[in-house]
Amino acid sequence: MKATRRWFLGAVGKGSVALAFVVQLAAAARAFLPNVLYEPLKRFKLKQPDQYPQGYTFDADRRLFVVRDQERFHVISAVCTHLGCTVQWRQDEFACPCHGSRFSTDGTVIAGPAPRPLPWYEVSLSPDGFLEVDSAQEVARGFSFTPPRAKA
Amino acid sequence: MTARERAGALWRRLTWTWDPASEHESGDAIVRNLWLHWFPAKVARQSASWNYSLWLGAASAILFLILNVTGLLLMFFYVPSTEHAYGSMKDLDYAVTLGWLLRNQHRWAAHAMVAVVFLHMARVFFTGAYRGQRAWNWLVGLALLLATLLASFTGYLLPWDQLAFWAVTVGTNIAREAPLIGEWIRFVLLGGSEIGQNALLRFYVLHIFFLPAIIWILFAYHMWRVRRDGGLAAVEPIRQARSVQPKATPATKSYSLFGLTRGTSVVVRSSTELEEQDEVFASPNLTRRLALVFLIVFNLTLLWSLLANAPLEEAANPAVTPNPAKAPWYFLWLQELVASTTIPIGGLRISGGLIGGIVVPGILLLVAAIWPWLDGSPAGNEGVWFPRRRLRQNLVFTLVFAIIIALILMDIFLRGPYWHLYWPGTSWPAMPRTL
């Protein structure tokens, strides 16, 4: 085939129409990646420190455990690291109903298919006196937070 | 032509006689009829036999048809919203006249379709019907199997009950285990990073349009291939007995009746190798049996729906996972796999979600896909059940099938709260369903 001017202009014409078609398809596909998420924030407030009893308290809305030891607090995720079911607290361990993973009191995997320990989240005190958790911020096991005594 | 005559002509075009008086009438019924024109005019006696195919393929297509009709009707009563979906289920069960029957029949036909599709696959394997030029249709069949499983999965998500919510959770977390693109796949499937309205709507549209459309298209192609490949593999022994090698397709573009009589149409290719006594007219021999299979399948799903209600758990509750949380029976073997295949390598633990959820099913699917080319058994054993010379192949398939069924049974009967094994006779501890 001879690369004539007529052929070249024809190829450019058809090619650009075809390209526009493909780009339009890609643009339609892009709509499936949402730009705005109407989801709960990763950083949220819990209750006031005094409202938690000693030991493990399950927060159903946030799917985590607030652990109080005297005046020290830490927060462990209740989402199984295997496939995301909610683990349950059974006095001395966490157990998952879906595939049988078990975790010790600090979230270490004892048995079952879970690949990683339950993550611990950063805890702080909000200016208005509530425990505040940042679930985007994992902290090392052994982390603890002691809320400063409110001035009487 | 009077209006009466015109109506009569239209009636004849849409209906046909179940008891043709002549061969001409028989052939006419197929070729001129809107509903039947995709059948061959004549089929091999063996293709229509009950004993050979058990009509499992036809049964799965009929179940799919039932699912389409009941599904369309259900769409009038179902709202794909996280707030209203569960209420729609309760309305169907208690407020809509016979709504429970509609929902039951849709759910049970879906369970039956999954079972029948697997049995159809087993039939095709045990009769060696995937060999030679039929290998391509085996691949189409595998794609149909996958689409069927996806349609069931997306289907039981829609009630937005506990089963649905935790199935989406586990299912999309398995997808997340895929290397590199896992997070992205999960994000696209859910339309976000958490399970909510976007996820329900996406799975809904997949369920009511895209997956059925894919299944219809693949089904049409599957049927077309059956005819291209010369009918069911059951005709192969007859062909061999006649010792006629398949002829090359004559070069022609004619699909017409003239091509048919001259023997130059593609449709004629296989039937020319069979002799007249090997074949019967599709009308009424195929049409009657198809009608009978339809009535049997429909009435069995109806009976099942009258005797048992479709499962519906408590409304979706992200805080509480049911204990134990079990998938529907056809996914239980996968649940057992993801629960037991986490592998520790040094300090690293490779999740069962990846091994049992992606790698093992992927390998099974891959082996099934290339099996026609792995199969080294001698040619000439197609179209017969359990031929001796395919003993090894059939044993491998039976073993895999048996393992899957054993895992399913084990998970139904022996897995209790916290996924512990409870032997038959021991009682499960009572577990609160809510907090």
Side-chain angles (χ1 to χ4, degrees):
Chain A
M1 185 177 49
K2 233 168 74 182
T4 58
R5 178 160 52 185
R6 180 181 293 270
W7 173 86
F8 176 75
L9 290 175
V12 168
K14 287 170 227 162
S16 41
V17 176
L19 186 68
F21 177 69
V22 172
V23 169
Q24 166 59 21
L25 285 185
R30 174 61 182 80
F32 286 85
L33 286 171
N35 296 321
V36 180
L37 296 179
Y38 301 93
E39 291 176 354
L41 296 176
K42 297 282 182 196
R43 191 181 178 89
F44 45 83
K45 276 190 233 176
L46 301 175
K47 290 191 252 183
Q48 288 165 325
D50 289 345
Q51 292 176 287
Y52 288 95
Q54 295 290 326
Y56 289 75
T57 308
F58 178 57
D59 186 318
D61 292 336
R62 303 294 184 179
R63 293 176 76 201
L64 48 78
F65 291 93
V66 178
V67 187
R68 179 170 183 181
D69 177 16
Q70 304 304 329
E71 290 309 302
R72 287 173 304 172
F73 287 85
H74 65 263
V75 162
I76 302 181
S77 163
V79 180
C80 182
T81 54
H82 179 228
L83 292 172
C85 295
T86 309
V87 299
Q88 293 172 15
W89 174 243
R90 306 177 69 199
Q91 306 319 319
D92 56 348
E93 63 172 20
F94 301 102
C96 181
C98 284
H99 307 101
S101 292
R102 281 159 55 213
F103 306 85
S104 69
T105 48
D106 68 350
T108 312
V109 182
I110 314 171
R116 290 177 300 279
L118 294 174
W120 291 36
Y121 296 138
E122 190 185 57
V123 192
S124 56
L125 196 70
S126 68
D128 50 351
F130 292 83
L131 282 185
E132 195 170 58
V133 172
D134 188 352
S135 65
Q137 208 67 47
E138 278 189 37
V139 291
R141 273 174 289 175
F143 166 95
S144 81
F145 171 72
T146 311
R149 277 265 139 237
K151 283 175 191 140
Chain B
M1 213 197 280
T2 65
R4 195 188 166 82
E5 282 168 339
R6 228 172 298 165
L10 182 65
W11 178 249
R12 276 195 298 282
R13 182 143 302 191
L14 294 173
T15 60
W16 62 92
T17 169
W18 294 90
D19 190 15
S22 65
E23 295 192 349
H24 173 261
E25 214 173 278
S26 250
D28 221 35
I30 298 295
V31 178
R32 294 185 54 147
N33 189 277
L34 174 67
W35 314 113
L36 300 183
H37 75 273
W38 51 290
F39 286 128
K42 292 176 99 176
V43 287
R45 238 176 253 283
Q46 289 302 315
S47 280
S49 129
W50 296 109
N51 295 342
Y52 174 72
S53 70
L54 310 175
W55 282 68
L56 290 166
S60 54
I62 288 164
L63 285 165
F64 185 59
L65 186 68
I66 294 173
L67 285 164
N68 274 262
V69 175
T70 52
L72 271 174
L73 294 177
L74 284 171
M75 282 170 67
F76 284 105
F77 304 100
Y78 175 78
V79 187
S81 119
T82 50
E83 280 173 39
H84 301 297
Y86 190 71
S88 310
M89 294 299 114
K90 290 292 185 192
D91 270 356
L92 278 166
D93 282 355
Y94 297 110
V96 179
T97 303
L98 293 181
W100 57 274
L101 186 64
L102 201 58
R103 192 171 93 79
N104 285 359
Q105 207 171 5
H106 193 72
R107 179 68 74 98
W108 295 134
H111 280 238
M113 184 177 168
V114 174
V116 170
V117 159
F118 269 110
L119 291 175
H120 175 60
M121 181 191 190
R123 190 283 288 173
V124 168
F125 194 95
F126 289 136
T127 55
Y130 56 86
R131 311 205 52 203
Q133 65 177 352
R134 289 189 180 80
W136 180 244
N137 220 10
W138 168 259
L139 293 180
V140 178
L142 283 177
L144 275 163
L145 173 70
L146 266 188
T148 304
L149 288 176
L150 284 176
S152 338
F153 179 73
T154 52
Y156 71 75
L157 304 183
L158 302 186
W160 216 242
D161 60 349
Q162 284 285 62
L163 175 69
F165 186 87
W166 296 101
V168 187
T169 305
V170 170
T172 54
N173 276 329
I174 289 175
R176 169 149 60 183
E177 293 290 334
L180 302 177
I181 51 167
E183 283 288 348
W184 184 83
I185 292 178
R186 181 173 186 271
F187 188 74
V188 173
L189 282 175
L190 292 182
S193 53
E194 305 214 357
I195 295 162
Q197 182 57 57
N198 281 359
L200 177 56
L201 201 53
R202 278 170 195 217
F203 287 119
Y204 172 73
V205 178
L206 282 178
H207 183 76
I208 60 139
F209 179 74
F210 286 97
L211 289 166
I214 288 170
I215 292 178
W216 275 119
I217 292 166
L218 287 176
F219 164 71
Y221 186 55
H222 205 53
M223 294 291 98
W224 184 71
R225 288 293 323 182
V226 168
R227 285 186 66 178
R228 281 282 315 255
D229 296 340
L232 300 192
V235 300
E236 296 303 324
I238 310 171
R239 271 195 188 152
Q240 278 158 17
R242 305 252 177 275
S243 64
V244 179
Q245 293 303 311
K247 280 177 246 167
T249 313
T252 173
K253 285 180 180 169
S254 169
Y255 283 76
S256 68
L257 269 181
F258 298 110
L260 203 78
T261 48
R262 286 201 311 268
T264 54
S265 167
V266 281
V267 175
V268 180
R269 188 182 143 212
S270 60
S271 37
T272 49
E273 292 148 21
L274 299 173
E275 292 186 6
E276 204 164 318
Q277 69 263 33
D278 302 327
E279 293 191 310
V280 289
F281 276 98
S283 168
N285 298 284
L286 203 62
T287 48
R288 277 195 195 164
R289 287 182 189 208
L290 195 60
L292 187 58
V293 175
F294 174 83
L295 290 176
I296 292 171
V297 169
F298 184 87
N299 284 302
L300 283 179
T301 58
L302 188 64
L303 189 66
W304 189 356
S305 308
L306 291 170
L307 294 176
N309 278 328
L312 183 68
E313 299 186 358
E314 288 89 355
N317 179 358
V320 182
T321 310
N323 194 1
K326 289 189 188 181
W329 61 268
Y330 43 86
F331 285 135
L332 273 180
W333 59 285
L334 286 172
Q335 188 171 4
E336 183 60 35
L337 284 180
V338 296
S340 51
T341 52
T342 292
I343 301 173
I345 299 176
L348 196 70
R349 282 164 68 88
I350 301 180
S351 175
L354 177 60
I355 311 268
I358 297 175
V359 175
V360 174
I363 289 174
L364 277 180
L365 194 65
L366 185 72
V367 170
I370 61 171
W371 189 267
W373 293 275
L374 292 179
D375 185 344
S377 70
N381 294 303
E382 295 86 24
V384 193
W385 280 85
F386 305 115
R388 282 197 66 78
R389 284 199 287 180
R390 285 178 38 78
L391 187 64
R392 218 168 353 128
Q393 283 80 5
N394 285 338
L395 280 180
V396 171
F397 188 85
T398 310
L399 186 71
V400 175
F401 222 70
I403 289 174
I404 289 176
I405 290 172
L407 288 178
I408 290 173
L409 291 175
M410 174 176 126
D411 285 5
I412 291 176
F413 295 111
L414 305 183
R415 288 292 189 188
Y418 300 110
W419 207 241
H420 286 316
L421 269 180
Y422 290 89
W423 292 106
T426 54
S427 60
W428 295 2
M431 285 293 152
R433 307 284 295 177
T434 50
L435 278 179

